[in-house]
Amino acid sequence: MHFKDLNITPALLKALHDLGFDTPTPIQEKAFPVVMSGKDVVAIAQTGTGKTFAYLLPILRQLNFSEQKQPRVLIVVPTRELVVQVTDEIKKLTAYINIRYAGIYGGANINTQKQLIYNGLDILVATPGRLMDMFLSRTLQFHSIQKLVIDEVDEMLNLGFRPQLLSIMEAIPPKRQNLLFSATLDEDVEKMIAGYFHQPVYLELVARGTPIEKITQYAYYVPNFNTKINLLEYLLLTDESIKKVLVFVKNKKLGDILYKSLEPKFIGEIGIIHSNKTQPQRFSSLKKFLEGNNRVLIATDIIARGLDIPEMSHVINFDTPKEPGDYIHRIGRTGRADKEGSTVTFITEVEKLFQIKIETLMNKKIHMLDLPLEVEISNILIPEEKPIKKDKNLKKFNKQATPKGAFHEKKDKNKKVNLGGKRRQETKRRKEAKFISKMK
Ligand code: AMP
């Protein structure tokens, strides 16, 4: 199969050719005729399968020149980084066609983004929160949307964007084509499909829970967090095959501790990306890693999900994920595009239970390695690892404590939450009421 065999315009073919892409990936081949037919699509495909072009190609093929201001295609993605990634992909494909597009996301100047919409657009790429802000402020209208793409929907639901997603689905005229892309298909996603999609065609590319074959999976039993740091340092110092590594951590706090500990020893080699970092920091860390200037990127699951990072030699699970599905996603970040990839997982005593769940899901054992003798075993535990002591005095205190003891209710004036000024609250309330009454 060649891109020429799909019903693609010469301008798109030329753009693909410039990128060095001549043959469609399986998801692109499968999705093209279905999207062109106008049917709703639910595609289970992970990042790295070429799924972005799978929906962009038929969309761009069908999008004619227009001077209409409001967008006709809406692409909703969970994170700011993905907005940038998708708009970059549109840029590449539209090198020889006149299509207006823009990306909007929270945490950036809203007025600059409003101007992009006022200028007129064909395709809008957005995160759900900022999208709803634009809609409620009447900058953006949905009446001309013909195609709605929801990418990485499972991640959006994980991030708590369900209300915004439902509002978006309600607010866009129902006569539209829905295209949904998700790495997993769970009950939450199925509910959404049942409520808003019309007899969708299901395209499943990677069987759920199947690890990508080419990935070599190793693991070490490591007693605690600080020993994990020692092991990671050792691996980075001694294993030259670790050229570009994504290190997954379970939360921002532990990520920051790890960063602080590694940075002085590997100056200029370590980056970190999580939701507490400012937008410029996030973009800069990612850019340095993508361009090969940083060897290591420490990341939480949420931020790393969906990002296309080519040529990654390793994924290290600094903690063993509790959810086996997360493990599959994480390791799927390496071994891309016919390249071999390796994953290394650090497993504590507590995490052995998660290992069993992962191995059961994969129906495959992870190859265990002995902890190298050179790695110093630390006895210093971080607060999370310290056993919870039963305090005798606390027991006595609890017995004596009356309901009105030391833990009294907050005074009313201290319960207040800052909701903005009265005028802002009133405007917001009116907008929401109007929106809800429209929905009814
Ligand atoms: P995605 O799954 O959309 O995140 O895409 C992963 C990577 O594959 C991106 O860097 C794309 O530019 C690249 N890609 C997309 N389509 C093709 C293709 N037909 N052949 C080779 N690479 C592709």
Side-chain angles (χ1 to χ4, degrees):
M1 174 62 100
H2 190 281
F3 274 122
K4 275 189 204 138
D5 304 321
L6 298 177
N7 176 14
I8 288 179
T9 55
L12 283 173
L13 270 180
K14 189 159 165 36
L16 285 165
H17 183 74
D18 289 354
L19 291 168
F21 302 163
D22 291 319
T23 42
T25 65
I27 183 81
Q28 289 163 0
E29 194 181 322
K30 277 192 184 177
F32 191 83
V34 189
V35 178
M36 289 287 282
S37 75
K39 288 184 186 143
D40 280 0
V41 173
V42 172
I44 310 301
Q46 296 174 347
T47 313
T49 51
K51 69 184 168 72
T52 318
F53 280 7
Y55 60 78
L56 285 180
L57 278 171
I59 286 177
L60 292 169
R61 170 71 183 81
Q62 288 182 322
L63 207 56
N64 299 324
F65 174 76
S66 163
E67 285 186 347
Q68 181 179 313
K69 292 269 179 194
Q70 293 289 333
R72 287 174 287 162
V73 176
L74 181 60
I75 302 172
V76 190
V77 295
T79 62
R80 304 160 203 180
E81 282 77 7
L82 279 178
V83 170
V84 174
Q85 188 172 295
V86 172
T87 44
D88 279 352
E89 297 280 271
I90 301 176
K91 187 176 175 195
K92 289 179 201 160
L93 278 184
T94 55
Y96 304 102
I97 43 178
N98 191 4
I99 292 288
R100 301 159 304 163
Y101 60 90
I104 58 168
Y105 44 79
N109 188 312
I110 195 159
N111 292 323
T112 322
Q113 294 185 352
K114 278 185 178 173
Q115 197 52 49
L116 294 172
I117 297 173
Y118 292 139
N119 292 347
L121 288 171
D122 299 304
I123 305 178
L124 179 66
V125 188
T127 48
R130 181 52 58 101
L131 182 68
M132 277 318 279
D133 288 346
M134 291 289 191
F135 175 69
L136 291 173
S137 69
R138 294 186 165 275
T139 310
L140 179 67
Q141 287 159 29
F142 286 154
H143 57 79
S144 38
I145 302 286
Q146 297 161 359
K147 291 180 197 290
L148 169 68
V149 181
I150 312 176
D151 201 355
E152 302 277 338
V153 66
D154 47 350
E155 200 46 45
M156 265 187 266
L157 296 176
N158 282 346
L159 286 168
F161 281 132
R162 167 175 290 278
Q164 286 90 340
L165 269 186
L166 295 184
S167 304
I168 293 164
M169 302 265 233
E170 289 283 351
I172 301 177
K175 208 170 164 288
R176 62 172 192 252
Q177 185 181 22
N178 294 302
L179 308 171
L180 181 142
F181 289 78
S182 186
T184 54
L185 198 56
D186 61 16
E187 214 180 300
D188 276 355
V189 182
E190 305 248 25
K191 261 194 224 158
M192 183 171 285
I193 295 165
Y196 295 95
F197 283 53
H198 309 288
Q199 300 179 332
V201 176
Y202 281 79
L203 303 174
E204 185 156 1
L205 218 80
V206 183
R208 270 167 275 164
T210 309
I212 294 158
E213 292 309 320
K214 286 185 223 92
I215 303 171
T216 320
Q217 301 176 48
Y218 296 114
Y220 294 93
Y221 289 130
V222 194
N224 51 44
F225 184 87
N226 281 311
T227 312
K228 283 184 176 182
I229 296 187
N230 296 344
L231 174 60
L232 181 57
E233 275 177 27
Y234 172 82
L235 293 177
L236 290 176
L237 283 173
T238 56
D239 189 342
E240 281 180 5
S241 73
I242 304 182
K243 293 200 164 58
K244 193 170 181 182
V245 57
L246 190 57
V247 178
F248 279 101
V249 284
K250 77 174 159 205
N251 60 43
K252 305 167 210 172
K253 195 174 135 203
L254 297 183
D256 284 335
I257 299 176
L258 178 60
Y259 177 81
K260 273 193 195 137
S261 164
L262 290 182
E263 194 6 73
K265 294 168 195 148
F266 299 87
I267 294 168
E269 282 189 68
I270 318 281
I272 179 163
I273 183 168
H274 62 58
S275 57
N276 268 7
K277 297 282 165 204
T278 64
Q279 196 54 51
Q281 281 172 331
R282 280 166 64 165
F283 282 142
S284 151
S285 295
L286 186 61
K287 191 162 176 265
K288 282 187 194 153
F289 189 60
L290 283 169
E291 289 172 354
N293 295 328
N294 273 353
R295 183 179 171 210
V296 182
L297 183 65
I298 302 170
T300 51
D301 291 84
I302 285 172
I303 298 299
R305 182 77 67 89
L307 290 178
D308 172 44
I309 307 171
E311 316 271 318
M312 204 144 57
S313 67
H314 286 71
V315 161
I316 293 187
N317 294 304
F318 196 81
D319 64 278
T320 313
K322 204 170 178 178
E323 295 300 327
D326 283 344
Y327 177 85
I328 308 294
H329 284 134
R330 287 179 176 191
I331 69 162
R333 312 313 311 276
T334 180
R336 297 283 187 78
D338 292 328
K339 297 232 157 46
E340 301 279 320
S342 298
T343 63
V344 186
T345 304
F346 298 172
I347 307 172
T348 58
E349 195 59 37
V350 179
E351 290 169 337
K352 280 185 181 169
L353 188 66
F354 310 151
Q355 180 192 5
I356 296 170
K357 283 208 237 164
I358 292 165
E359 290 180 338
T360 311
L361 179 71
M362 296 194 298
N363 195 19
K364 186 178 175 175
K365 290 252 178 252
I366 304 172
H367 185 77
M368 296 306 304
L369 297 176
D370 290 331
L371 201 60
L373 292 173
E374 296 87 338
V375 173
E376 191 190 327
I377 308 282
S378 169
N379 293 321
I380 305 164
L381 299 181
I382 57 168
E384 279 98 306
E385 291 172 327
K386 288 190 181 147
I388 304 160
K389 271 193 209 150
K390 276 197 179 158
D391 191 331
K392 270 188 198 163
N393 291 332
L394 187 67
K395 221 173 162 186
K396 214 165 129 194
F397 169 80
N398 279 343
K399 261 191 179 172
Q400 286 169 357
T402 60
K404 280 189 180 173
F407 302 103
H408 55 76
E409 274 261 294
K410 270 185 179 177
K411 281 189 182 152
D412 278 351
K413 70 170 184 165
N414 293 334
K415 284 186 197 165
K416 279 189 185 164
V417 179
N418 184 3
L419 300 170
K422 261 197 180 155
R423 236 180 85 202
R424 237 180 81 198
Q425 276 180 48
E426 181 55 22
T427 321
K428 199 171 173 221
R429 192 196 59 73
R430 259 193 282 127
K431 274 183 191 163
E432 279 171 0
K434 211 168 168 188
F435 177 65
I436 290 163
S437 75
K438 259 194 186 172
M439 298 295 95
K440 282 181 183 165

